[in-house]
Amino acid sequence: GTFGNAKANVNIPGDYEMGGHVDSTMLNGGSDKQWTGIVGELVRGESDLAVASLTIDNERAQVIDFSNPFKHQGLSIMVKKKDTTSNLASFVQPFKYQLWILIFLSVHVVALIIYLLDRFSPFGNINMAKGSTTDDSMTLPSALWFAWGVLLNSGIGEGTPNSFSARVLGMVWAGFAMVVVASYTANLAAF
């Protein structure tokens, strides 16, 4: 074809390869490398110029000159995009319904155990033993308030357990709640 004042022939290599090398000792007992494809045509002088999506590597750069690359191609992984619908209940999507049920049950079980530990511990009603008239012991509603407040990070100022065993369970519950909230936040960001 003619391009302005220049004439050019478009040639597709006979082996349809970009250009690899073959050790010629395997072919004919020679000691040098013989190139195939586009690189081979350039090395042998059969072509003056090649335009292709050819990877620049050290072996090829030793025998031919490359222009500056104008695009760097990386590997990509493609997956089909899920059809997502946004509704009022989208805040529950990060966890499956079974996990929501287990979290709900665990809040109530932990609250019941904290209540029982605080109620029947000798250190739960320490003020009553000293003759105080105020009863600041943990009730079941305050234990539920404590368990939900720890899970939802609302800050519990009063109504905390008095006994050591209930406080330890409260700290374990706070660690569990921190993991649940972090997992929920990470999964919510993924939706």
Side-chain angles (χ1 to χ4, degrees), residues 114-181:
I114 286 176
Y115 166 71
L116 292 173
L117 286 174
D118 202 57
R119 190 69 170 169
F120 295 113
S121 171
F123 301 107
N125 292 330
I126 196 152
N127 288 336
M128 293 300 286
K130 291 181 181 178
S132 175
T133 58
T134 60
D135 185 14
D136 62 347
S137 63
M138 172 92 45
T139 62
L140 188 56
S142 65
L144 279 168
W145 187 261
F146 174 78
W148 278 108
V150 168
L151 181 67
L152 300 175
N153 293 325
S154 66
I156 306 298
E158 50 191 50
T160 57
N162 292 325
S163 68
F164 178 73
S165 54
R167 287 183 183 202
V168 169
L169 181 58
M171 288 188 292
V172 170
W173 176 248
F176 171 77
M178 185 175 60
V179 170
V180 168
V181 169

Side-chain angles (χ1 to χ4, degrees), residues 4 6 11-12 14-15 22 37 41 44 46 55 120 125 136 144 148 182 188 191:
N11 183 24
I12 298 174
D15 53 9
V22 179
E41 288 187 3
R44 290 188 298 272
E46 297 171 9
T55 305
F120 295 113
N125 292 330
D136 62 347
L144 279 168
W148 278 108
L188 185 64
F191 282 95

